[in-house]
């Protein structure tokens, strides 16, 4: 192969490795804005995940996922959050034990 071809190949490899390294540093899902509402309808929730500022996201938050797949972000200092997270944990546990056959398990991801 000609020397010019080797340089192009090297450039392509370096370019791709830089792109992959850049994508690996960006968080996939981050809450940039949080809701400070006082409540949320528990029936509509299927899952949640905690987000922390030190892991590449701009603020601490709890991201709830509805049964339809919509993501809602709430501030972590709301007093009702622990009750709602416990409700979602109980729902996921019950759905797993019941093999996800109940109507209330719609939208809950299989684990």
């Amino acid at each position: 192969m000609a020397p010019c071809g080797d340089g192009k190949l090297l450039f392509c490899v370096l370019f791709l490795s830089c792109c992959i390294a850049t994508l690996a540093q960006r968080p996939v899902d981050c809450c940039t804005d949080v809701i400070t509402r006082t409540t949320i309808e528990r029936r509509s929730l299927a899952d949640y995940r905690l987000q922390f500022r030190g892991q590449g996201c701009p603020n601490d938050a709890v991201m709830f996922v509805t049964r339809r797949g919509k993501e809602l972000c709430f501030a972590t200092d709301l007093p009702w959050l622990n009750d709602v997270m416990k409700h979602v944990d109980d729902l996921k546990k019950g759905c797993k034990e019941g093999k996800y056959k109940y109507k209330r398990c719609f939208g809950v991801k299989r684990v």
Side-chain angles (χ1 to χ4, degrees):
M1 189 181 282
C4 183
D6 291 337
K8 288 180 184 178
L9 179 63
L10 178 65
F11 175 75
C12 288
V13 170
L14 288 174
F15 178 74
L16 287 175
S17 63
C18 288
C19 290
I20 292 170
T22 302
L23 289 175
Q25 293 175 357
R26 292 188 352 203
V28 177
D29 290 331
C30 269
C31 298
T32 54
D33 296 322
V34 292
I35 301 170
T36 55
R37 225 186 322 186
T38 57
T39 186
I40 186 172
E41 179 134 2
R42 295 177 182 198
R43 293 182 307 168
S44 65
L45 299 177
D47 201 5
Y48 72 90
R49 119 179 138 75
L50 299 172
Q51 166 186 305
F52 300 103
R53 183 175 301 158
Q55 297 174 342
C57 294
N59 50 22
D60 295 336
V62 178
M63 178 187 291
F64 286 104
V65 180
T66 66
R67 294 178 187 271
R68 303 273 183 201
K70 186 176 178 182
E71 297 172 344
L72 303 169
C73 298
F74 291 89
T76 57
D77 59 350
L78 298 172
W80 52 267
L81 279 179
N82 288 331
D83 291 335
V84 175
M85 289 189 292
K86 184 178 178 336
H87 169 78
V88 172
D89 289 337
D90 292 342
L91 172 70
K92 291 185 336 185
K93 181 181 176 185
C95 289
K96 184 177 181 179
E97 290 172 356
K99 300 186 188 321
Y100 301 92
K101 63 183 176 182
Y102 303 114
K103 185 177 181 180
R104 68 186 184 124
C105 297
F106 168 75
V108 177
K109 297 208 188 271
R110 296 176 184 258
V111 180

